[in-house]
Amino acid sequence: MFAEIKEIMGKQKGESRFPLHVKRPLGRILVDGAFIAPETLDAALREQELTNALLGEILVRLGALDSAELETALAVQRDFAKVEDAVRAAAGVRRMLGELLLSARRITSVQLDAALSEQKRSGGKLGEALVRLGYLDRRELDVTLAFQEKQGVGKAPSCLSLGELLVSAGYVTREHLEDALARQRGSDKKLGEVLVESGYAKPRHISHGLRIQEKLVTAALIAALALAPVAEAVAAQSAASAASAKITVSAMVLARASLNVLRQPSELVVTDADIRRGFLDVDAGSLVEIRNNSRRGVYVTFESHGLPFREALVRGFGREVSFGPNGGMITQPLTGKAVVALGYRFYFDGTAEAGTYAWPLSLSVNPVE
């Protein structure tokens, strides 16, 4: 349940509220890249709690991952921790915008078809149609377009270029890669062809490397899209703090708290696959700004409606929060102003069906007096 939370919890002390400069959780990368299923990660993390073994070693021992996949994922963890680094990691053949967004599971095929119809009607660009229909926000479009621009032949090498991945996987040495790259210059041959012809790699190594590359490219885009709203909010908060004047207040004031939703989906799309799995993850859920002048903290209330779920799990408050279909309330020691990014997992009840639902949660805050 919310596997990445269990990975992060042990690192919380001493970190910023927005851990943008640390490694992205290994489990999150592996799930995003479809190396493993979420339930496999949950099982491995439960075993890790009992044995204290490394997560990657457990997954390899379970047969859910091979050593080459593990080594390549470990090699790029730090490159997926910031938006700009995740975008810079883009590699492989340049893909169409719709294809990229589908692979990142940011839109559905139904939404893409609707956007293509809108594009045909208006004569504009697909990205603009996606934004106009509310399937994508402007920041997400900009990030995806920047990612797309980094793909393609002739771009600067990245941590996800085939050669780098083959070295990380242990399939070729750094020396052999450099020699193959030198031989490739001035020819029309692909790097994989040169490596095989030179006897530095087997065809199966190249095929496996390309499969790993495709999965990690998807994981990089998902990371960039998930981190983008948080990075934007942090930048805005830092700018506001730098521009603010120092004010000394001596008057007594009433306890007050307010919540401003900076970003939140207007709807959720539940697929048949989600229903079969039993739950839906929303990593980039609510981005909220909370202001509170009570030193005792704030009550955060969740009110539910629409989506038939039996349990909702929330991450983003430093611990995992759970509540049922009637909503719930928690107390948080937040004072002053804080921007909080919340992710969710909704466990469906027996009546849930595939379809499009309005966003199922309303948030409000009150000061602890």
Side-chain angles (χ1 to χ4, degrees):
M1 299 189 306
F2 271 116
E4 65 271 31
I5 293 300
K6 297 177 182 177
E7 289 190 77
I8 294 173
M9 286 296 288
K11 309 175 186 177
Q12 289 292 332
K13 292 185 179 180
E15 285 189 2
S16 163
R17 180 180 288 111
F18 302 99
L20 299 180
H21 299 278
V22 299
K23 292 180 180 180
R24 186 159 173 82
L26 174 63
R28 183 72 270 165
I29 293 173
L30 295 174
V31 171
D32 288 345
F35 289 96
I36 60 174
E39 52 268 28
T40 301
L41 178 58
D42 286 341
L45 286 168
R46 285 194 294 270
E47 181 173 335
Q48 186 183 40
E49 290 177 351
L50 298 174
T51 65
N52 287 323
L54 294 175
L55 176 63
E57 293 178 357
I58 294 172
L59 289 167
V60 171
R61 186 169 67 250
L62 292 174
L65 200 68
D66 64 41
S67 58
E69 293 168 336
L70 172 61
E71 293 303 322
T72 51
L74 290 171
V76 300
Q77 263 190 290
R78 198 171 295 277
D79 294 285
F80 287 13
K82 294 191 293 182
V83 176
E84 57 268 32
D85 289 342
V87 169
R88 195 178 299 118
V93 177
R94 183 167 179 170
R95 301 165 71 184
M96 302 294 287
L97 177 64
E99 185 183 359
L100 279 173
L101 292 168
L102 281 175
S103 70
R105 301 183 287 281
R106 182 57 190 82
I107 62 172
T108 67
S109 57
V110 173
Q111 291 173 330
L112 177 58
D113 289 341
L116 288 170
S117 297
E118 169 66 12
Q119 178 191 24
K120 184 177 180 180
R121 183 195 65 78
S122 64
K125 295 183 178 180
L126 176 61
E128 298 299 326
L130 287 164
V131 171
R132 191 158 55 248
L133 291 172
Y135 298 150
L136 208 64
D137 65 33
R138 178 64 57 178
R139 175 66 171 167
E140 290 171 322
L141 174 60
D142 291 343
V143 167
T144 309
L145 290 174
F147 191 92
Q148 182 189 46
E149 180 63 25
K150 292 291 183 180
Q151 291 188 303
V153 179
K155 302 299 180 183
S158 82
C159 63
L160 296 184
S161 61
L162 178 61
E164 292 299 320
L165 292 176
L166 292 173
V167 171
S168 297
Y171 287 153
V172 301
T173 65
R174 175 66 60 183
E175 293 74 18
H176 288 166
L177 174 61
E178 295 298 334
D179 182 60
L181 288 170
R183 296 187 187 199
Q184 185 190 22
R185 297 187 190 101
S187 73
D188 295 329
K189 295 182 178 180
K190 296 180 179 180
L191 177 61
E193 293 179 66
V194 177
L195 286 167
V196 172
E197 289 176 357
S198 303
Y200 296 151
K202 302 291 185 182
R204 58 185 173 84
H205 295 153
I206 306 302
S207 297
H208 194 200
L210 289 170
R211 290 196 301 273
I212 290 174
Q213 182 188 55
E214 182 178 359
K215 292 182 176 184
L216 287 177
V217 165
T218 296
L221 178 55
I222 291 175
L225 290 170
L227 292 168
V230 181
E232 187 175 32
V234 173
Q237 188 176 20
S238 298
S241 299
S244 63
K246 185 176 181 181
I247 301 175
T248 301
V249 179
S250 58
M252 294 291 291
V253 296
L254 296 175
R256 293 180 179 175
S258 64
L259 181 144
N260 180 30
V261 178
L262 302 176
R263 178 183 178 279
Q264 185 171 268
S266 60
E267 61 183 26
L268 285 182
V269 176
V270 178
T271 67
D272 289 328
D274 296 325
I275 296 296
R276 289 193 297 271
R277 186 170 57 244
F279 62 85
L280 173 66
D281 281 332
V282 185
D283 292 326
S286 307
L287 186 69
V288 299
E289 178 187 81
I290 299 175
R291 294 174 182 265
N292 177 42
N293 65 359
S294 171
R295 294 183 179 180
R296 299 182 63 185
V298 64
Y299 295 114
V300 182
T301 301
F302 296 85
E303 296 181 38
S304 60
H305 51 83
L307 179 70
F309 64 86
R310 59 180 173 81
E311 182 184 14
L313 302 179
V314 185
R315 73 176 189 275
F317 288 118
R319 69 185 193 276
E320 188 176 84
V321 178
S322 171
F323 57 86
N326 295 321
M329 184 176 67
I330 62 170
T331 304
Q332 281 297 115
L334 296 176
T335 302
K337 183 175 74 170
V339 177
V340 183
L342 301 176
Y344 304 90
R345 172 174 287 188
F346 297 100
Y347 285 94
F348 305 124
D349 68 14
T351 67
E353 297 179 351
T356 300
Y357 297 83
W359 181 252
L361 294 176
S362 298
L363 280 69
S364 61
V365 295
N366 288 288
V368 179
E369 300 186 73

